[in-house]
């Protein structure tokens, strides 16, 4: 297993739709193992193929809820169904999220409260997860990566402006930038 470099906003692979996974082989198994190791080392709660430079429709996730239940898995060629978004002002505390491809920054973003994730696993077995709350947010965030969308692309005013300022300050937004969990230190 290996920790993979995580691409930073501006890299074309992050801003283009990913292709369906068609080869379920040892190479895919190794990629998934490496993605779990990279996500854990970062540390993060999700990581999509495009974030490690692989333009395929898959993501890994790992999060322990308030009841100490571990939600961990891989979603390959997923489909995501979501409930309508709530209306009103976004809550800066409970709706704040970050992204390993926009490292060290957090902004509030409204997400659906409930989702249904349908995908296949490494053995091409279909599965379905009904998720609420934070796990629903993780699924939406990672699914967006597969469509070439970063969470900062969805931000409203004034947060979009703050994200653009952070991108300029860090000299992001150009191809070829990445960081390596465990080696590069990024401050929150």
């Amino acid at each position: 297993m290996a920790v993979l470099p995580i691409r930073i906003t501006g890299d074309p692979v992050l801003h283009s739709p990913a292709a369906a996974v068609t080869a379920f082989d040892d190479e895919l198994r190794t990629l998934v193992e490496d993605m779990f190791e990279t996500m854990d080392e970062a540390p993060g709660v999700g990581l999509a193929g495009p974030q490690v430079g692989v333009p395929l429709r898959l993501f890994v996730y790992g999060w322990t809820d308030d009841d100490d239940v571990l939600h961990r898995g891989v979603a390959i060629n997923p489909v995501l169904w979501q409930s309508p978004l709530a209306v009103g002002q976004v809550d800066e505390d409970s709706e704040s999220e970050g992204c390993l491809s926009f490292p060290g920054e957090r902004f509030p973003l409204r997400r659906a409260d409930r989702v249904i994730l349908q995908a296949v696993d490494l053995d091409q077995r279909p599965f379905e997860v009904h998720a609420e709350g934070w796990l629903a947010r993780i699924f939406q965030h990672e699914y967006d990566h597969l469509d070439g969308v970063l969470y900062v692309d969805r931000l409203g005013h004034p947060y979009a402006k703050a994200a653009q300022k952070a991108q300029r300050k860090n000299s992001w937004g150009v191809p070829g930038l990445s960081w390596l969990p465990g080696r590069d230190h990024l401050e929150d």
Side-chain angles (χ1 to χ4, degrees), residues 52-71:
V52 293
V54 179
L56 293 176
R57 296 190 72 79
L58 78 148
F59 65 81
V60 298
Y61 60 94
W63 172 71
T64 303
D65 67 22
D66 293 337
D67 296 324
D68 274 344
V69 175
L70 175 63
H71 304 271

Side-chain angles (χ1 to χ4, degrees), residues 30-101:
T30 300
L31 172 63
V32 169
E33 288 176 11
D34 291 349
M35 287 175 65
F36 273 119
E37 186 172 346
T38 303
M39 177 187 72
D40 293 341
E41 184 69 27
V45 294
L47 186 68
Q51 291 183 276
V52 293
V54 179
L56 293 176
R57 296 190 72 79
L58 78 148
F59 65 81
V60 298
Y61 60 94
W63 172 71
T64 303
D65 67 22
D66 293 337
D67 296 324
D68 274 344
V69 175
L70 175 63
H71 304 271
R72 190 171 176 91
V74 58
I76 301 171
N77 297 330
V79 175
L80 192 70
W81 306 92
Q82 62 186 49
S83 64
L85 295 180
V87 296
Q89 195 75 344
V90 66
D91 184 288
E92 290 191 20
D93 294 322
S94 66
E95 295 182 288
S96 183
E97 66 185 70
C99 179
L100 297 175
S101 292

Side-chain angles (χ1 to χ4, degrees), residues 113-136:
D113 292 332
R114 294 180 316 279
V115 300
I116 300 171
L117 173 70
Q118 297 173 326
V120 297
D121 64 16
L122 282 167
D123 296 316
Q124 299 185 60
R125 289 185 304 239
F127 68 91
E128 183 173 287
V129 178
H130 293 246
E132 297 181 4
W134 196 253
L135 186 57

Side-chain angles (χ1 to χ4, degrees), residues 4-7 11 13-14 31 48-56:
L4 305 171
I6 297 175
R7 305 294 174 95
D11 196 292
V13 73
L14 293 171
L31 172 63
Q51 291 183 276
V52 293
V54 179
L56 293 176

